[in-house]
């Protein structure tokens, strides 16, 4: 029903973007990691709205997702 967001990064990666397509949904995802954390999500917003948990619903259309680690 959606896309699970659970990044695992090297501590040197401070920011990256990725585009994922699932069925009729397109996710433009930006991951911000200013403290160099290797895992653990602090917050996720989808199209400007806070998301509870780490699953973004795959509704048709293009969506902008921002992940704060």
């Amino acid at each position: 029903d959606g896309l699970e967001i659970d990044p695992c990064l090297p501590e040197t990666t401070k920011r990256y973007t990725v585009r994922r397509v699932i069925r009729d949904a397109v996710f433009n995802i930006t991951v911000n990691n200013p403290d160099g954390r290797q895992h653990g999500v602090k917050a996720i917003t989808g199209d400007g709205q806070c998301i509870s948990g780490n699953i973004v619903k795959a509704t048709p259309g293009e969506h902008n997702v921002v992940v704060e680690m």
Side-chain angles (χ1 to χ4, degrees):
D1 291 332
L3 176 66
E4 181 178 11
I5 309 275
D6 189 19
C8 184
L9 307 172
E11 61 188 33
T12 56
T13 302
K14 302 298 183 185
R15 182 171 196 230
Y16 75 93
T17 59
V18 65
R19 183 176 173 97
R20 301 290 286 182
V21 178
I22 298 177
R23 295 181 287 281
D24 294 331
V26 178
F27 296 98
N28 299 307
I29 304 166
T30 300
V31 177
N32 295 314
N33 187 23
D35 299 327
R37 297 177 62 166
Q38 293 181 321
H39 56 84
V41 173
K42 287 183 184 177
I44 300 175
T45 58
D47 297 328
Q49 303 294 316
C50 290
I51 294 174
S52 178
N54 68 335
I55 296 178
V56 181
K57 294 206 183 271
T59 56
E62 192 157 336
H63 306 284
N64 294 310
V65 178
V66 178
V67 179
E68 299 293 332
M69 292 185 67

